[in-house]
Amino acid sequence: MKRFFFSSIALMVAMTACTESGLIDSPEFYGNPIVFDTYIGKTPVTKAENCDITALKDTEGNGGGARIYAFESEKDAQIPFSAVNYDSHYLNGKLKFANSSWGYYNADGDLEEAYMPADKDLAVVAYSLNAGISTDDTELTFTVSDNVADQVDFLVTPLTLVTENVTGGDTKVPLRFYHLLSRVGFKVQSSDESSDEIVISSVKLKGSFYTTGNVDLTASTAKPSSAKPDETNIALQGKKPQITPITTGTLVTEYELLPGDDNVFEITGTDCYASAQQITPDEGGCYMMIMPGVQAAPAVQITYKVGNSAEDTVTINLADLNTGIEYFEAGYAYEFLFKVSTSAIDFSATISKDWDETGADIPVTPTPNA
């Protein structure tokens, strides 16, 4: 029997379901079965762990899986997919990995086998379950946690039009996930290969951060460019999925990587001399996942001491960098590197256009606090 595959270009998922209401007693009245195949363009990060295919295969309780919707469409619909019927869900459930394969679980939590509708296309969209959002609507509201340890990477696919594979076999549904937030990380490196201990007690990102945004799951669209799509031949039609900040309400003025009086990061100069090391809190959250957007006077502030020296605090105004950072862009990784010696601390920033690609270092002289 022919089946229908979902291929999400950031997760790899095998989809098996019919409608959201129950099992199909007579699949001959439907089209091919569906198989999910998911992809992530670049490595997303949730807290201190890579949210890659392996992480997405994890249990739902550990942040794995994806929420998925499918809507019927007239054959060969054109952008902006005006022929899609959003009034009812053809599929409405979750993609989860179990027993060595991806499966579609309906709204009741039951594993189902999915088939293409007869003489129809499907418009399919998904987002990561780790966002903690549960809604049947195509418009979502996502909130960035004030607590860095609770912040998560939020992934969304474009609305992807899928046509039945009429040549025989399963129909593959490609779902290519994109990062909607900006990732900010911090590293330390010693300029002295010594046994002096570097103690970092505070790392703050300062600015004016919106925390809540809207996501329209139908605003970004894509089409597979072949009957057997993979990550390289899914054609994005226009803009990538994006989150639009809600500009009302109270802004967050700073995020603290090491909250609490006892939450410090300690490392010897020897251990971070050859290569920079990630500054990590006691419990996860080594990356900040922040709402993208323009910032008012963004800055990084770090409090540290080396060996027996007195504790010091320095502030780096990001807008003063050679290529000033005044805007955090979705899907970009901002890595700030502190280079420490017994007499001074230097600072540089690495901006990566994609999360797993290295950008250029931007040196800057930090300003000691008065």
Side-chain angles (χ1 to χ4, degrees), residues 53-356:
I53 296 300
T54 300
L56 287 166
K57 288 181 178 179
D58 208 338
T59 62
E60 183 178 347
N62 289 327
R67 178 84 174 181
I68 188 166
Y69 305 126
F71 307 93
E72 289 188 1
S73 171
E74 298 302 321
K75 284 285 188 181
D76 301 319
Q78 300 299 311
I79 303 298
F81 298 169
S82 57
V84 176
N85 177 17
Y86 295 111
D87 293 335
S88 63
H89 299 81
Y90 181 78
L91 296 175
N92 180 3
K94 298 175 180 179
L95 295 177
K96 295 190 287 185
F97 192 83
N99 300 321
S100 301
S101 65
W102 288 97
Y104 169 77
Y105 292 76
N106 65 20
D108 295 325
D110 298 324
L111 178 65
E112 290 189 352
E113 191 155 16
Y115 293 84
M116 287 292 292
D119 301 320
K120 298 284 187 179
D121 287 342
L122 279 184
V124 186
V125 68
Y127 60 88
S128 56
L129 286 176
N130 66 339
I133 299 172
S134 181
T135 177
D136 293 340
D137 201 347
T138 56
E139 291 196 12
L140 311 177
T141 299
F142 175 83
T143 300
V144 174
S145 174
D146 293 349
N147 184 359
V148 172
D150 294 330
Q151 292 174 351
V152 297
D153 176 19
F154 185 28
L155 306 176
V156 173
T157 75
L159 183 71
T160 304
L161 191 67
V162 177
T163 299
E164 184 175 13
N165 177 16
V166 296
T167 61
D170 301 320
T171 298
K172 183 180 285 188
V173 177
L175 300 174
R176 200 284 195 204
F177 285 78
Y178 289 86
H179 311 290
L180 266 60
L181 304 178
S182 303
R183 191 191 84 183
V184 180
F186 306 88
K187 289 184 177 181
V188 61
Q189 186 170 20
S190 175
S191 59
D192 302 314
E193 191 174 11
S194 73
S195 59
D196 284 343
E197 189 170 50
I198 301 167
V199 180
I200 298 174
S201 57
S202 177
V203 179
K204 295 179 180 180
L205 178 65
K206 293 178 170 288
S208 299
F209 303 97
Y210 296 115
T211 60
T212 303
N214 289 327
V215 181
D216 182 352
L217 296 178
T218 69
S220 174
T221 55
K223 282 187 174 183
S225 53
S226 74
K228 296 182 178 181
D230 58 25
E231 182 173 0
T232 62
N233 59 20
I234 295 178
L236 188 67
Q237 310 290 310
K239 62 185 178 183
K240 297 186 294 185
Q242 62 184 18
I243 188 167
T244 302
I246 297 173
T247 58
T248 57
T250 304
L251 299 178
V252 171
T253 57
E254 67 179 31
Y255 291 112
E256 170 62 83
L257 186 70
L258 303 169
D261 294 336
D262 299 325
N263 195 352
V264 299
F265 178 80
E266 299 175 333
I267 192 169
T268 64
T270 303
D271 291 335
C272 61
Y273 173 73
S275 61
Q277 299 298 310
Q278 199 79 41
I279 300 174
T280 57
D282 292 338
E283 297 182 3
C286 68
Y287 294 102
M288 297 176 182
M289 301 291 178
I290 66 173
M291 189 71 65
V294 176
Q295 291 300 310
V300 171
Q301 185 181 90
I302 181 170
T303 300
Y304 77 105
K305 68 186 296 291
V306 179
N308 295 321
S309 65
E311 186 175 76
D312 194 10
T313 298
V314 295
T315 299
I316 300 94
N317 296 311
L318 303 184
D320 294 339
L321 300 180
N322 292 342
T323 56
I325 300 174
E326 296 178 315
Y327 176 77
F328 288 95
E329 188 162 347
Y332 278 45
Y334 299 82
E335 195 77 52
F336 299 114
L337 173 63
F338 301 99
K339 295 182 178 179
V340 181
S341 71
T342 55
S343 59
I345 181 169
D346 296 324
F347 174 82
S348 67
T350 297
I351 304 174
S352 301
K353 185 172 182 179
D354 294 299
W355 287 15
D356 60 353

